[in-house]
Amino acid sequence: MSQATYAVTGVASGIGAELARLLKARGARVIGFDLRETSANVDRFIALDLDDPASIAAAAAQLDEPLDGLCNNAGLPPREGLEATILQVNFLGTRDFTRRLLPLFRNGASVVNMASRAGHGWREGAEQVRRLAGLERRDQIERFVETEKLDATRCYNLTKEAVILWTVAETEAMVKRGLRINSLSPGGIATGILGDFQKAFGPRMARNVERAGRPGRPEEIAEVAAFLLSPPSHWIKGTDIAIDGGMGAFNQADLMDLHGLRLPDEEGIA
């Protein structure tokens, strides 16, 4: 059996670094992409700036070997002043990079897109996602930010909504190609950009983390990503998997007033 080869973006830190470590430990060949060069847990490194269409084209052109999977992990947090860049990096650039790698995918290859719990408002944001998806040039992106009156937090949420909906939209075409695509939605993960999320989402995020007991760890997300890349997950297609320590369930139970469905406390058991 030949050695599996996986491409991972955002490989220099956080979840991407942990995923590369796991894949290497399990015998895979890892091709890493990032702005910041690293040699840790990668067999080959290729510089990639998802904010630059020329860099996306150049990075894809350097890759000339078959792939068993791609994890689109690279992304920016909700940081003021980066609105247009967030839209480009987190969604438009990621989509372009994936499209350019399609010819390299072996039959059965898996694409894993890193979304977020912040993207779970996609039902309300779907029309705005459609408008975002039609943008092609930087001046269009900047005009979109201005016209839609987007701040950094909304830009971040919108891109993660877009990643989830793009994953769904691509599923059938991927299946016809003999490929798979899924997304992951982490919530409250202890990486170097956790502070950006704490600032953007404030007390709501603090409360969610408190109820979960702690933030998630990068390796916990990487474990699920590694599974979705691997052949044993072959029947999981077009799915978004939340990895949030229960945060989504807490909020859903509150919203739907489901607490009466709980098991009785021990004292109430006859």
Side-chain angles (χ1 to χ4, degrees), residues 4 11 32 131 143-144 148 212 217:
V11 76
R131 294 194 293 274
R143 193 178 312 118
F144 179 82
E148 305 268 339
R217 302 185 183 101

Side-chain angles (χ1 to χ4, degrees), residues 89-185:
V89 169
N90 290 10
F91 175 58
L92 296 168
T94 293
R95 184 180 60 171
D96 182 22
F97 184 64
T98 304
R99 176 180 61 82
R100 292 174 181 275
L101 295 193
L102 275 176
L104 298 174
F105 290 149
R106 289 190 176 108
N107 185 58
S110 172
V111 176
V112 176
N113 294 323
M114 202 62 65
S116 168
R117 251 183 52 78
H120 284 184
W122 57 263
R123 290 172 181 84
E124 294 75 26
E127 288 304 319
Q128 197 171 45
V129 167
R130 288 188 182 95
R131 294 194 293 274
L132 170 64
L135 305 181
E136 296 179 358
R137 302 190 312 273
R138 187 60 176 226
D139 63 308
Q140 292 176 321
I141 301 171
E142 291 170 352
R143 193 178 312 118
F144 179 82
V145 170
E146 183 179 350
T147 302
E148 305 268 339
K149 298 180 172 58
L150 305 179
D151 62 13
T153 299
R154 179 56 196 150
C155 284
Y156 179 81
N157 292 355
L158 178 60
T159 60
K160 297 308 182 178
E161 293 166 13
V163 166
I164 292 171
L165 290 179
W166 166 50
T167 299
V168 172
E170 288 286 2
T171 299
E172 187 170 7
M174 288 287 195
V175 169
K176 288 178 178 177
R177 288 173 174 261
L179 309 173
R180 298 186 295 121
I181 187 168
N182 293 285
S183 60
L184 296 179
S185 285

Side-chain angles (χ1 to χ4, degrees), residues 2 6 46 53 56 59 69 71 87 94 100 121 139 162 201 211 253 261:
S2 61
Y6 297 109
I46 299 175
I56 294 170
C71 180
L87 298 180
T94 293
R100 292 174 181 275
D139 63 308
F201 301 118
R211 293 172 83 177
L261 300 178

Side-chain angles (χ1 to χ4, degrees), residues 204-226:
R204 179 160 53 99
M205 178 176 173
R207 173 62 175 151
N208 281 334
V209 171
E210 180 185 4
R211 293 172 83 177
R214 61 170 174 82
R217 302 185 183 101
E219 59 269 26
E220 292 170 323
I221 313 306
E223 285 278 5
V224 182

Side-chain angles (χ1 to χ4, degrees), residues 34 53 75 93 130 138 157-158 162 165 167 229 233 236 247 251 254-255 267:
D34 208 305
R130 288 188 182 95
R138 187 60 176 226
N157 292 355
L158 178 60
L165 290 179
T167 299
L229 287 171
S233 68
I236 304 177
M247 296 177 193
N251 294 337
D254 292 345
L255 183 65
E267 300 81 35

